[in-house]
Amino acid sequence: MRTVTIEEITKKFSLEVLSGHDQLHRVLKKTKVRRPGLEFMDKFDFIATEHVQILGKNEINYLHTLSTEESKLRIGNIVQYAPPCIIITSRQEEPLGLIQYCTEEKIPVLRTPDSTSELSAKLDAYVIKAMASEIAIHGVCINVAGMGILLRGKSGVGKSETAHTLIGRGHRLVADDIVVLKKLSPQTLLGTYDEKNKEFLALRSVGLLNVVRLYGRAAFQEETRIALDIELTEWKKNELNNELEMETKFVEYMDVKIPHLKIQLQPGRDIAGLIEAAANNWYLKQQGYSAAEEFMKRIESEFEGN
């Protein structure tokens, strides 16, 4: 798992550093931020530790209703759980005693003009992606009609050329040649680019293309959730090519199962069109409709009628 430092999130979200300038090297260990609730009370052993703590308007207003000594006591209850940092939202004034406690315990105190809900959503999303396990695979990642698709196959089989055709039909390139896969959850795989190949598409006999410069921003997408894994393979004469495929096949990346299918190549076949059809067909399956199941029902109905 990759690590994220306080300095990184400070720069990413333009946070103001109120104290702990020399502690920004501290590392986040948890991906979710927390707002103190029970942490304001007496010590509870079961409370999750090492989360970024956010003090919003409700928390700051509560602390301001307390006496100086009581406020310091409640702040001490937060600090004892060793948060990597404390962030004050909505550009509020820090409560009395916070800077003192955090300086003693070497905990950075940061501030933002964003509301608590805004910062929580942005910070959670960023940290989850940044700390996600990842691998790099050889292939092409493209977003077809809102659906993330991995194109795989042997070198020279035509993955990049197929992606170029799909871009011409209004779909979006995510990554060519090297695809970075990030595991966001046991069911979610995110596809994105390697920094070196961002916006680039390599075509044999033509060379390297910058799809944004050639076709505009709409031709490129930063990342996409992977919904389908499609392998482009050589045509095999004696292989059954019109099977109904009632059962979905899968491949696994970092233990995340992704629906998989193969498309055989042959001169004259509209591979880009087949990929569009596969994407649309998979979308219908997600909505509960299966053309294969409907076909089998019709066959069974006709058989029963005879």
Side-chain angles (χ1 to χ4, degrees):
M1 180 179 289
R2 296 178 59 212
T3 59
V4 178
T5 65
I6 303 303
E7 184 174 18
E8 287 179 74
I9 66 170
T10 299
K11 292 179 179 179
K12 175 68 177 179
F13 301 105
S14 302
L15 303 177
E16 177 187 0
V17 182
L18 299 180
S19 69
H21 292 79
D22 59 342
Q23 297 298 319
L24 300 183
H25 62 276
R26 297 187 66 173
V27 174
L28 300 185
K29 297 181 180 180
K30 301 292 179 67
T31 57
K32 291 287 187 178
V33 302
R34 288 178 62 89
R35 298 178 65 177
L38 289 176
E39 289 91 337
F40 274 145
M41 302 298 105
D42 293 330
K43 187 176 186 298
F44 288 85
D45 293 334
F46 59 83
I47 291 179
T49 61
E50 299 179 334
H51 289 267
V52 171
Q53 293 284 347
I54 291 183
L55 298 181
K57 289 183 177 180
N58 290 340
E59 291 78 22
I60 297 293
N61 289 337
Y62 167 72
L63 291 173
H64 284 319
T65 65
L66 306 177
S67 66
T68 300
E69 291 304 315
E70 184 70 12
S71 177
K72 289 181 179 180
L73 176 63
R74 299 309 177 197
I75 290 170
N77 284 344
I78 302 174
V79 172
Q80 71 179 328
Y81 291 106
C85 70
I86 293 175
I87 303 176
I88 299 172
T89 63
S90 303
R91 203 180 274 114
Q92 300 174 96
E93 291 296 322
E94 67 275 13
L96 192 64
L98 180 64
I99 299 297
Q100 175 188 342
Y101 268 111
C102 290
T103 299
E104 292 173 356
E105 298 298 327
K106 298 181 179 180
I107 298 172
V109 179
L110 314 171
R111 183 161 57 192
T112 177
D114 290 342
S115 69
T116 300
S117 58
E118 289 173 335
L119 181 70
S120 297
K122 292 192 296 186
L123 190 54
D124 280 345
Y126 171 75
V127 173
I128 287 172
K129 290 179 185 177
M131 294 178 65
S133 300
E134 65 178 48
I135 59 172
I137 67 167
H138 175 67
V140 175
C141 182
I142 194 159
N143 185 282
V144 177
M147 184 174 296
I149 292 180
L150 276 178
L151 293 182
R152 295 187 299 108
K154 294 180 180 179
S155 181
V157 77
K159 300 182 295 296
S160 298
E161 290 81 359
T162 301
H164 183 257
T165 302
L166 287 166
I167 291 170
R169 296 185 180 189
H171 307 296
R172 297 181 173 186
L173 174 71
V174 176
D176 179 47
D177 191 38
I178 298 174
V179 180
V180 177
L181 299 177
K182 292 177 174 284
K183 181 180 179 180
L184 301 188
S185 77
Q187 298 81 33
T188 306
L189 202 65
L190 194 72
T192 187
Y193 52 82
D194 176 90
E195 285 297 332
K196 296 184 291 294
N197 70 347
K198 180 180 179 180
E199 301 176 357
F200 288 130
L201 181 68
L203 298 179
R204 290 176 182 268
S205 304
V206 176
L208 205 59
L209 307 180
N210 185 309
V211 298
V212 172
R213 295 292 184 92
L214 279 176
Y215 305 115
R217 292 301 311 171
F220 177 75
Q221 186 165 315
E222 294 274 338
E223 58 192 26
T224 187
R225 178 174 178 173
I226 303 300
L228 274 178
D229 177 274
I230 297 179
E231 183 180 359
L232 303 182
T233 65
E234 297 177 356
W235 184 269
K236 296 181 182 179
K237 291 183 179 180
N238 299 322
E239 186 168 306
L240 183 63
N241 298 310
N242 60 345
E243 52 188 335
L244 294 179
E245 292 288 357
M246 293 291 287
E247 292 187 8
T248 303
K249 296 179 180 178
F250 294 90
V251 293
E252 290 190 9
Y253 298 99
M254 295 179 289
D255 299 322
V256 179
K257 288 186 175 182
I258 303 296
H260 167 78
L261 60 88
K262 293 181 180 181
I263 293 180
Q264 293 190 6
L265 305 177
Q266 190 180 47
R269 292 197 93 192
D270 180 10
I271 304 303
L274 291 175
I275 291 172
E276 288 177 321
N280 290 328
N281 196 47
W282 180 251
Y283 175 80
L284 288 176
K285 285 184 178 180
Q286 299 307 104
Q287 305 305 306
Y289 173 79
S290 169
E293 289 181 3
E294 182 178 352
F295 177 75
M296 292 304 298
K297 287 179 181 178
R298 291 183 184 182
I299 296 296
E300 291 172 1
S301 177
E302 182 177 343
F303 178 79
E304 291 173 358
N306 294 330

